[in-house]
Amino acid sequence: MHTLIDVILPVFLVIGFGYAAVWRGLFPVSGIDGVMKFAQNFAIPCLLFQAIAKIDLSSSYDPRLLGSFYGGAALCFALGILGARVLFRREWEDSVAIGFCCLFSNSILLGLPITERAYGPEALAGNYAILSFHAPFCYGLGITVMEFVRNRGQSGLSLLRNVSRAMFRNALVLAILGGFAVNISGLPIPGVVDDALSLIVRAALPAALFALGGVLLQYKPEGDMKAILMVCAIALLVHPALVWTFGTALNLPEAGFRSGVLTAAMAPGFNAYIFANMYGRARRVAASSVLIATGSSILTVWLWLTVLG
């Protein structure tokens, strides 16, 4: 429990700084929008590009691990969409944004440090294998379904064109594809460019979390609490339970099993809000889900760590 507090409390403090700064008038709401755009369109894409360009794509790629994790993630995405649509009568576009909150685990900010502190640095190979596909899979699935519901009734060719346009205009997707291109080609990143990227990357998560704090002041959870609790339950309990079930059925080795279950047990990542903000849909649910699920994960992750042994 002490380890989880050490990992999660700094996240809350940065979010709290952003919230308090806007609340007390020390930082303007328009400034929060600027910080959000910087994080979403520049800093986080740089982080993803640099991470994927340098990751060892040949290590620890067990199809059973990826199948267990992403099979569970896709099912949670579907459950989130159906729950929002059937239980809460949300519009389809809102439902997809809420489903994305159930899909995108905080695999970097929480998943890596918690796994490392629980099992040591040598246990992170499975985490990195999941990470290398995380953003491409989640954004690819989310954007495809969102564009489908936004453009329903159009021809298949028109839908494909709209999905392709949305994908290739997205800075995060372009950064991911660029990182894979550099990694696969073996081309080195020039030292001066890598240093510049590192400077921006160091600002990515603090800027994103600070902006999230300011956003939370604008999007309070009144009226959406049931949808937020559904997201928390699917993200923190259903996803890791599915990975546990699939991993057991596929006889996944212990190291990969632990990485898969723990990564699935993380709260929705900041990208859940970024996706909602991209489309202007369910932003209040997304922002509040990130905050409430992150706080709740102090208990739920402790539970999963206890069960894993």
Side-chain angles (χ1 to χ4, degrees):
M1 183 69 75
H2 178 70
T3 297
L4 292 181
I5 292 173
D6 284 346
V7 171
I8 292 176
L9 186 57
V11 174
F12 271 92
L13 287 175
V14 179
I15 293 172
F17 288 151
Y19 186 99
V22 176
W23 174 47
R24 302 303 298 174
L26 302 175
F27 201 89
V29 173
S30 60
I32 286 294
D33 294 338
V35 175
M36 181 68 72
K37 288 180 180 178
F38 166 73
Q40 178 176 321
N41 297 329
F42 298 97
I44 292 178
C46 286
L47 183 153
L48 292 172
F49 170 81
Q50 191 180 55
I52 293 174
K54 295 182 177 182
I55 197 171
D56 183 1
L57 295 176
S58 64
S59 67
S60 302
Y61 278 86
D62 189 331
R64 294 170 294 179
L65 170 61
L66 299 177
S68 297
F69 183 86
Y70 288 111
L75 284 173
C76 288
F77 180 54
L79 284 173
I81 293 173
L82 292 174
R85 181 66 179 172
V86 174
L87 298 178
F88 308 120
R89 308 296 182 189
R90 303 293 292 247
E91 295 181 2
W92 278 113
E93 290 84 351
D94 280 5
S95 298
V96 175
I98 291 170
F100 193 87
C101 295
C102 303
L103 168 68
F104 207 107
S105 305
N106 194 338
S107 54
I108 296 177
L109 194 63
L110 297 179
L112 286 177
I114 288 175
T115 304
E116 181 177 10
R117 293 198 181 201
Y119 302 113
E122 66 280 357
L124 294 178
N127 293 62
Y128 287 124
I130 291 170
L131 274 173
S132 65
F133 287 99
H134 199 205
F137 176 87
C138 294
Y139 273 101
L141 180 59
I143 288 173
T144 299
V145 176
M146 180 64 87
E147 292 299 326
F148 176 81
V149 301
R150 290 177 75 200
N151 300 283
R152 50 191 178 275
Q154 294 189 10
S155 66
L157 183 60
S158 296
L159 176 62
L160 179 61
R161 185 165 52 247
N162 289 330
V163 170
S164 299
R165 186 183 299 118
M167 289 284 287
F168 290 102
R169 286 182 177 178
N170 186 297
L172 298 169
V173 174
L174 291 175
I176 291 161
L177 294 175
F180 275 115
V182 170
N183 193 310
I184 293 170
S185 68
L187 293 173
I189 302 175
V192 65
V193 175
D194 194 45
D195 289 344
L197 285 171
S198 296
L199 287 173
I200 298 176
V201 165
R202 283 197 286 272
L205 295 178
L209 293 170
F210 182 88
L212 178 61
V215 164
L216 285 170
L217 189 66
Q218 304 170 60
Y219 298 107
K220 296 178 181 178
E222 291 94 343
D224 284 324
M225 205 62 216
K226 290 181 180 179
I228 292 165
L229 292 175
M230 180 195 72
V231 170
C232 293
I234 293 174
L236 300 178
L237 300 174
V238 176
H239 190 188
L242 287 171
V243 177
W244 183 294
T245 302
F246 296 153
T248 301
L250 295 171
N251 196 28
L252 184 63
E254 183 181 45
F257 186 85
R258 286 173 168 174
S259 291
V261 171
L262 271 185
T263 304
M266 296 303 114
F270 181 73
N271 287 280
Y273 179 77
I274 289 179
F275 184 85
N277 194 52
M278 278 169 48
Y279 289 102
R281 290 287 185 165
R283 286 179 287 193
R284 182 165 59 186
V285 173
S288 298
S289 294
V290 171
L291 181 68
I292 293 172
T294 300
S296 301
S297 66
I298 294 176
L299 295 176
T300 58
V301 173
W302 173 76
L303 170 66
W304 287 111
L305 283 170
T306 302
V307 173
L308 284 168

